[in-house]
């Protein structure tokens, strides 16, 4: 055991698994024991506690909202990159191109990046679409980016990344990035202004009403169990505009939440027509 880590009993691990499932929907497997110890030991010690049992007791009886958020932040996984799963952006460009051709100038376009992590996904959407369709600057075009982890949301909102995170991108895709001269790059203001970064727990109440023209929720549902996955995907279908699209991760499927969708491409689902009309929000 590494210096600074605290031993974790089966009972304590079970309590931590139960709590993170209850508050965030995250289903921790037994293989995550080492992750739990390494990520929570520092927090436990900083509180002056000596065991994970006492830490869970603290969260349940005396901890404040910030303590609870720190617990969730520590147990989330944030892996992402620019232009991850490129075929999704190719499809999105084609879809948005069709919307532009069929709708009047200044029309509304809403995209949600659910589980946006440190922001590479929503920034990719913004840069890619503005690069392909400059006329979107004259549209009512906005991107909502949400994540349960408040730490990654704060990082995403800054829009500054190590330059090596753009390695492998084509010269064309590198053009929008502003090099700051200190080994970092910045997302251009024209793209940052499109995006609202907000904390959101996908298993809690959602304040937005939609409709969205596209939702990206990729490599997020893999941390949920099957019933939770089905519930979340089913809720997405209610917020999507008719014939809009949902993009999910390469190892995910909709399961019981797929009733409102039809598969149209690799991990790309189209929302089936709805019988009711909903007002835009």
């Amino acid at each position: 055991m590494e210096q600074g880590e605290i031993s974790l009993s089966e009972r304590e691990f079970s309590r931590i698994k139960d709590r993170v499932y209850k508050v965030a929907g995250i289903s921790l497997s037994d293989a995550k024991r080492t992750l739990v110890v390494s990520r929570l030991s520092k927090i436990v010690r900083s509180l002056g506690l000596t065991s994970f049992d006492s830490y869970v007791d603290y969260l349940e009886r005396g901890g404040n909202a910030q303590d609870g958020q720190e617990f969730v932040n520590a147990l989330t996984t944030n892996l992402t990159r620019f232009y991850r799963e490129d075929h999704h952006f190719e499809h999105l460009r084609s879809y948005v191109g069709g919307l532009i051709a069929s709708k009047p100038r200044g029309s509304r376009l809403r995209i949600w990046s659910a589980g946006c992590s440190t922001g590479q996904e929503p920034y990719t959407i913004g840069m890619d679409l503005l690069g392909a369709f400059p006329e979107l600057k004259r549209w009512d075009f906005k991107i909502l980016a949400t994540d349960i982890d408040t730490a990654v949301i704060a990082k995403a909102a800054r829009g500054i990344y190590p330059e090596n995170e753009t390695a492998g991108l084509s010269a064309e895709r590198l053009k929008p990035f502003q090099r700051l001269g200190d080994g970092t790059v910045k997302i251009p203001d024209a793209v940052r202004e499109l995006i609202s970064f907000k904390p959101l727990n996908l298993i809690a109440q959602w304040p937005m009403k939609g409709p969205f023209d596209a939702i990206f929720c990729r490599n997020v549902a893999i941390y949920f169990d099957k019933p939770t996955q089905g519930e979340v995907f089913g809720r997405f279908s209610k917020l999507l505009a008719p014939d809009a699209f949902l993009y999910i991760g390469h190892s995910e499927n909709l399961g019981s939440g797929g009733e409102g969708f039809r598969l149209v491409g690799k991990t790309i689902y189209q929302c089936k027509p709805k019988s009711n009309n909903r007002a835009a929000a």
Side-chain angles (χ1 to χ4, degrees):
M1 185 167 59
E2 294 182 8
Q3 185 178 4
E5 291 183 352
I6 303 170
S7 61
L8 177 68
S9 69
E10 288 295 335
R11 178 180 179 276
E12 291 170 323
F13 186 39
S14 179
R15 292 187 72 193
I16 289 169
K17 287 195 297 183
D18 289 347
R19 180 170 180 82
V20 77
Y21 179 79
K22 178 182 178 180
V23 301
I26 296 171
S27 181
L28 290 178
S29 68
D30 290 342
K32 300 296 184 180
R33 285 182 62 96
T34 301
L35 178 146
V36 167
V37 172
S38 64
R39 293 190 180 182
L40 293 183
S41 287
K42 184 178 179 180
I43 298 174
V44 174
R45 292 194 184 282
S46 73
L47 292 169
L49 304 173
T50 57
S51 71
F52 289 108
D53 254 342
S54 60
Y55 176 50
V56 178
D57 287 343
Y58 170 78
L59 291 174
E60 293 179 348
R61 300 171 190 171
N64 56 34
Q66 183 176 345
D67 293 317
Q69 186 65 58
E70 188 176 24
F71 170 75
V72 172
N73 288 359
L75 295 179
T76 56
T77 300
N78 302 288
L79 297 174
T80 187
R81 65 176 185 273
F82 293 104
Y83 285 94
R84 186 181 191 182
E85 298 187 51
D86 191 50
H87 67 284
H88 286 162
F89 301 104
E90 293 176 3
H91 182 274
L92 181 66
R93 284 195 301 275
S94 176
Y95 167 49
V96 171
L99 293 178
I100 290 173
S102 63
K103 292 189 174 185
R105 173 176 168 173
S107 293
R108 180 183 185 277
L109 177 63
R110 293 290 186 275
I111 298 175
W112 179 14
S113 170
C116 68
S117 186
T118 45
Q120 288 89 333
E121 179 178 273
Y123 285 134
T124 297
I125 294 169
M127 288 188 294
D128 200 51
L129 291 181
L130 280 187
F133 310 108
E135 58 267 47
L136 283 176
K137 295 176 183 177
R138 298 185 292 274
W139 276 47
D140 179 13
F141 173 31
K142 295 180 182 178
I143 299 169
L144 173 65
T146 66
D147 201 282
I148 194 172
D149 188 332
T150 54
V152 297
I153 283 288
K155 180 178 179 179
R158 290 194 291 270
I160 297 176
Y161 299 90
E163 193 167 357
N164 60 16
E165 290 196 18
T166 64
L169 298 184
S170 67
E172 186 66 25
R173 288 178 172 174
L174 286 171
K175 284 182 181 178
F177 292 94
Q178 300 172 4
R179 284 163 179 75
L180 301 182
D182 60 354
T184 64
V185 294
K186 182 181 178 182
I187 303 298
D189 290 343
V191 175
R192 293 176 65 205
E193 291 167 358
L194 295 172
I195 304 171
S196 296
F197 288 99
K198 303 288 185 181
L200 182 73
N201 185 340
L202 285 175
I203 69 164
Q205 185 176 1
W206 299 350
M208 58 282 193
K209 298 178 181 179
F212 290 95
D213 299 284
I215 295 176
F216 282 67
C217 187
R218 307 185 305 168
N219 306 299
V220 175
I222 55 174
Y223 301 106
F224 298 151
D225 61 10
K226 294 298 183 183
T228 306
Q229 289 175 10
E231 179 183 352
V232 170
F233 287 133
R235 291 171 73 186
F236 284 152
S237 70
K238 297 174 183 177
L239 284 187
L240 282 164
D243 300 321
F245 292 95
L246 171 65
Y247 303 87
I248 67 174
H250 67 277
S251 61
E252 297 170 327
N253 61 74
L254 300 188
S256 61
E259 183 178 347
F261 296 95
R262 55 173 172 264
L263 180 66
V264 295
K266 184 181 178 183
T267 56
I268 301 172
Y269 293 83
Q270 188 170 34
C271 194
K272 294 178 181 178
K274 300 176 178 64
S275 57
N276 62 315
N277 295 317
R278 292 174 288 110

